Structures are given as structure tokens and as C-alpha cells.
Amino acid sequence: MHPDVSECERCRRCRPLKQGKCRFCTLLLRETEVDVSGIALDGGDQLWFGRELALRKSDRYLSGTGAQGRFKAKERRGRAASRAMRPISPHLVDPEQLELFPTPPRDWGRLNPENEFALTPAAKVLLRDFSDYLRDLGVEPRVGGSASLRTLRVLTAQLGAEAPIREGDVKAIATLGDHYQGRRVVCFLRQRGILKPEPMRDAELIRARRVAASLPTPFAEAVDLWIDVLLGQGTRSNPALTSGTIYSYVQNAHPTLKSWAESGITDLREITKKDVEAAIMDLPSVRRHSVHPPLRSLFRALRRERKIFRDPARSVSLPVAVKLPTPLPSDGVRGILSKVEDVRSQFIVALVAVHALVHDDLPALLLEDLDRSRGQLRVRRRGRLDHVVYLDELTSELATSWLRERYRRWPRTGNPHLLVSRVSAADEAGPRMSTEVTKTVFERVGISARKLRGDRIYDEARHTADPVHLMRLFGLGTTTAMKYITAAHPDKRPDPIRA
């Protein structure tokens, strides 16, 4: 008897076993695992011929590792048959059904990919159009676009393609894992006009409101009114600040307001100049200049809205140490363009190192602002006159090379900005490129954009003592231009008596 002969756990016959089953049972289970031929019986086995007509198959097909063979073909036919038998989703959205009340967010975390529903004819057409859309973007649907295609397939299988799809549902599915993506789906649905966008939410503004709500009621109401004023929504119109600045102001003023509330003060009208001075001077020196401007802004806003009688922080001032700019070492600046390889990074570095553009100006540059025939670049700055940059030969060549690279990589993008990334180029809304992209460029260079810009202005100031020249060349203000002139030419300090 064969040494490995044992009792089969299925047919109970003593045979050589593989994984607890004899050869006949293994073949039989493989034959009836995907029963596309209808040969499996309930409560018994199909009768088979023996000897020469018995089931025979080589071990490489039994192992299940081969990509070809009769069993693999049966598995493919079985999967196709199961997909054809899938029912239509009972959750299809009727486009003519009116909404009685706002529907709550759907819970996509309970989604089971194995229980997918069949696609409607409209959904199949939408998926084909989305595949063509991905190919136009230079993305192969089954490779780079498989995650986006899977997201749209789940949405259309569950909800259909007849009614608009909510942007919140797309983003919710995209958070389920790395095999789901939603950005290209949102852009495609928006382009087709079947996207229901979600309300714009400013995360930093929401955080500022949350910080204000954590204060006692009188203080919370005052801070909420302050935020409205900073947003330009007060009784008198004023330019609105960015949400990041507003959140920074509220966050820096919060500890001081909380300490006043804990000390027994119930209203900001009780605050005096001595209270403001004591609150600021008790802070470390590095924190004083970050708390002083928010407190001045808070009381100025409350005084303008007639919530307090006087501004206790109006006459409170702090000494400011003016730091003169210093040049960078020449060995650190030498060969700076060779530290980055791609054209976009070299163009970004040249705009800062040669023309001293501010780091925040780079994502806002528009395609229409670049005039290559005249060698000019228009820089739009909020609340100030536009600054015109006259490009040198190197920067002009890099700009031309970048436009060619941009058209080669994203020929169908409609983003109006000069600098785009992989994410912003795919968004049909035309957003700005993230500043993280430019930060990464200067991290590879090893020098921050602020220091590189300051070194360029300082180098120009060394060759001229005329502040008007710096103002015209780099779009500087009077104070900034004089600061660089003073640093480069200490003997040119203005006479304090005549000034």
C-alpha cells in the first residue's frame, strides 16, 4: 500500500490524498465549482465513466495557478454569468422626484463590493464616455484610471445615471481606500452637467468659529462679530481678510480672552488699557508680537460696531526691532538651477531667484499674463497695482519650455493658470496649484523662497542706491526699498533731522 494512502474526507475511500481529498474528488470539485454546465447535483454526485473515459487532468491545472485551461475558462464564464444575473439596484434615483427635505449623507462605509448591482443602459454609456475622457487626459482606464473608473461604477450601479450625483457621495466613496479615487470623477460629472455640487466650506473659517464658540457667551458673541467684520460683513464695508489670517488672529487671541473670562471679567467693555498691557507683557517675547495685532483688531472692530465705548488697545504699542536683510553665501546660490531637473521647477526657481517674485504670487500667475513676444509677465497683487516683470533671456527660454511641457502632458486642460500640477490640470474648475508644490521645489534646492528673493533684491541694491529703481524693478513698497538700500549702503542712512 502507498505510504500516503489515507481516507478521503469526502468519499471516505482509501486513496492517495492531496489536501485531504483523493484525485477523483479534487477533479469533481473543480468541475462543479463553477457550474456553468449544470452538472452538479443536490444531495449526490454525477455519474462518471471510468477507466479510459475517466476524469483526467494534469497537476498544473489542478493547482489553480495557471492562467489558461478549461477550469480558468469556466471561471471566466461563471463570473460573466453571475454579472448577467445581478439585479438592478432598488435605490435608483428618480430625476423627476422632488426633494421634500434635505437628505442625510449616505453611509458608504457599509458598501459591499461583492454585492454590486447591474448597470442600467444609461450607466453603461456614461462609463464608456468616462473611459474616453480618461484616454483624452492621457490616462489608461484599466491602469492609471482604474480607481476612478471603479468609483463611478459603484455610484452608477447604486444610484443610476439619470439623476445628478452628489459631490459628497463621490468624495465619501473616495475615502474608502486606495483603490477608489474621486477627483477625476467629479471633474467629469461637472463637465457633463450631472454633478450636484456640495456647498463650499472653508475649513479654516469653520475652525475659527469653533474656537469662538468655546469661549463664554459674551466673549463668543464678540468674537463672532469680529469674524464678520474681518470678512467684510460689518456695518461698514471693508476689504475681507483671508480665512487663514482670520483663523490665526482668533487662535492667537483665544488664550488671552479665556484668561480674562476666568479672572471674572464678564464683558469686554470692562477691559482697560492696563489689562491689555498686562496680558501682552506677561507673554514670552516671541509671543507678544503675535498677540498684539489680533487684540488691536478685535477692539477696533468692536468700537466701529458700537459694542464698546472706547478702544483700550489703541494706544498700546510694542518696540519693533528692524532686521536688515543679509546676503546669502555665494557658494549656496551658485548652480542653483542645476539642483532641479524638471522644467517647471527651473522656471519657478528662476522667477524667484532672478525676478524676486513673492512665493504666494507664483500659483496666481495666469496664462494670459505671459506675453512672450514682448518678454513680459504681469503679476497681479491684491489691493495693489499690477507689477510687470521684464523677463531675461534665460527665464524666457524656461517659460517657452514649460509651455511646451504643459501642452504635452495636459493637452486638453482648461486651467487658466500658468503653473499647473497633475491635480489642478485635471480639475475642470481651474483651481490654483497648491503652494505645497512650490515649497517642495525649494526644499530640493535647499534655500527658502523668501531668502532667495531677499538675496536677489540685496544684490541689486548693492549696485544702486536708488530706492525708486528697486521699487520699479521688483514692485516693492517705499519702506521695503529703503530697508534694502540701508542694508547695502550703511552710509546712505537718511538724516533723522531732515526726515
Side-chain angles (χ1 to χ4, degrees), residues 379-399:
V379 181
R380 304 169 187 259
R381 291 173 176 169
R382 183 180 178 183
R384 298 171 55 186
L385 295 176
D386 296 342
H387 173 53
V388 178
V389 174
Y390 296 91
L391 303 177
D392 63 313
E393 183 178 357
L394 173 62
T395 313
S396 297
E397 293 177 357
L398 291 175

Side-chain angles (χ1 to χ4, degrees), residues 313-382:
R314 180 177 181 179
S315 58
V316 177
S317 60
L318 294 178
V320 179
V322 180
K323 295 183 179 180
L324 296 179
T326 56
L328 292 173
S330 58
D331 56 347
V333 184
R334 187 182 299 112
I336 190 171
L337 287 179
S338 61
K339 297 181 181 179
V340 288
E341 298 179 356
D342 57 296
V343 179
R344 183 183 63 185
S345 299
Q346 292 180 350
F347 183 44
I348 291 173
V349 172
L351 289 176
V352 176
V354 179
H355 300 284
L357 291 190
V358 182
H359 179 258
D360 294 336
D361 289 339
L362 299 176
L365 297 174
L366 300 177
L367 269 174
E368 62 181 14
D369 294 337
L370 177 61
D371 189 351
R372 290 190 295 150
S373 61
R374 297 183 179 180
Q376 297 179 3
L377 177 63
R378 180 184 178 188
V379 181
R380 304 169 187 259
R381 291 173 176 169
R382 183 180 178 183

Side-chain angles (χ1 to χ4, degrees), residues 437-450:
V437 178
T438 53
K439 288 181 180 178
T440 304
V441 172
F442 290 101
E443 287 176 358
R444 285 184 291 172
V445 171
I447 304 175
S448 67
R450 180 181 59 83

Side-chain angles (χ1 to χ4, degrees), residues 178-213:
D178 296 336
H179 51 290
Y180 292 102
Q181 290 182 0
R183 181 173 294 276
R184 293 192 181 103
V185 178
V186 170
C187 297
F188 171 73
L189 296 178
R190 184 188 294 118
Q191 182 179 346
R192 294 293 295 266
I194 56 175
L195 178 71
K196 185 177 181 181
E198 60 182 2
M200 295 295 295
R201 301 182 62 188
D202 195 321
E204 292 180 328
L205 193 59
I206 293 175
R207 287 197 292 266
R209 296 285 188 185
R210 189 179 297 119
V211 171

Side-chain angles (χ1 to χ4, degrees), residues 132-141 184 409-412:
D132 296 337
Y133 170 80
L134 292 176
R135 292 189 185 94
D136 291 340
L137 294 177
V139 179
E140 180 59 34
R184 293 192 181 103
R409 296 181 61 183
W410 305 289
R412 296 177 62 87

Side-chain angles (χ1 to χ4, degrees), residues 132-425:
D132 296 337
Y133 170 80
L134 292 176
R135 292 189 185 94
D136 291 340
L137 294 177
V139 179
E140 180 59 34
R142 294 187 177 274
V143 184
S146 60
S148 301
L149 197 63
R150 187 178 297 110
T151 302
L152 185 59
R153 188 190 305 277
V154 171
L155 281 169
T156 53
Q158 291 282 340
L159 307 177
E162 287 77 11
I165 298 176
R166 295 192 302 186
E167 184 178 357
D169 291 332
V170 182
K171 294 182 177 179
I173 293 180
T175 60
L176 296 180
D178 296 336
H179 51 290
Y180 292 102
Q181 290 182 0
R183 181 173 294 276
R184 293 192 181 103
V185 178
V186 170
C187 297
F188 171 73
L189 296 178
R190 184 188 294 118
Q191 182 179 346
R192 294 293 295 266
I194 56 175
L195 178 71
K196 185 177 181 181
E198 60 182 2
M200 295 295 295
R201 301 182 62 188
D202 195 321
E204 292 180 328
L205 193 59
I206 293 175
R207 287 197 292 266
R209 296 285 188 185
R210 189 179 297 119
V211 171
S214 65
L215 295 169
T217 302
F219 289 83
E221 294 176 353
V223 175
D224 274 330
L225 179 60
W226 177 34
I227 295 175
D228 292 337
V229 173
L230 296 180
L231 289 172
Q233 302 172 1
T235 55
R236 287 186 291 175
S237 61
N238 60 280
L241 299 181
T242 62
S243 56
T245 304
I246 295 175
Y247 173 68
S248 176
Y249 272 21
V250 176
Q251 184 71 10
N252 288 326
H254 176 264
T256 302
L257 297 176
K258 186 178 179 180
S259 64
W260 284 342
E262 293 175 350
S263 64
I265 297 176
T266 58
D267 199 319
L268 288 177
R269 285 177 290 188
E270 303 176 21
I271 302 297
T272 63
K273 178 182 177 181
K274 293 183 178 180
D275 295 328
V276 177
E277 290 178 343
I280 295 176
M281 299 309 295
D282 290 343
L283 296 173
S285 58
V286 294
R287 286 276 299 155
R288 293 173 185 172
H289 291 282
S290 61
V291 175
H292 180 228
L295 291 181
R296 290 193 61 180
S297 174
L298 169 63
F299 287 108
R300 187 187 306 117
L302 296 178
R303 174 68 178 84
R304 198 181 71 171
E305 297 297 320
R306 299 181 183 275
K307 296 298 181 181
I308 58 176
F309 300 110
R310 63 184 184 280
D311 182 357
R314 180 177 181 179
S315 58
V316 177
S317 60
L318 294 178
V320 179
V322 180
K323 295 183 179 180
L324 296 179
T326 56
L328 292 173
S330 58
D331 56 347
V333 184
R334 187 182 299 112
I336 190 171
L337 287 179
S338 61
K339 297 181 181 179
V340 288
E341 298 179 356
D342 57 296
V343 179
R344 183 183 63 185
S345 299
Q346 292 180 350
F347 183 44
I348 291 173
V349 172
L351 289 176
V352 176
V354 179
H355 300 284
L357 291 190
V358 182
H359 179 258
D360 294 336
D361 289 339
L362 299 176
L365 297 174
L366 300 177
L367 269 174
E368 62 181 14
D369 294 337
L370 177 61
D371 189 351
R372 290 190 295 150
S373 61
R374 297 183 179 180
Q376 297 179 3
L377 177 63
R378 180 184 178 188
V379 181
R380 304 169 187 259
R381 291 173 176 169
R382 183 180 178 183
R384 298 171 55 186
L385 295 176
D386 296 342
H387 173 53
V388 178
V389 174
Y390 296 91
L391 303 177
D392 63 313
E393 183 178 357
L394 173 62
T395 313
S396 297
E397 293 177 357
L398 291 175
T400 303
S401 301
W402 161 241
L403 292 179
R404 291 173 180 169
E405 177 70 12
R406 169 192 164 113
Y407 180 77
R408 184 187 66 81
R409 296 181 61 183
W410 305 289
R412 296 177 62 87
T413 181
N415 196 304
H417 294 91
L418 177 62
L419 296 171
V420 294
S421 63
R422 177 179 57 85
V423 176
S424 64

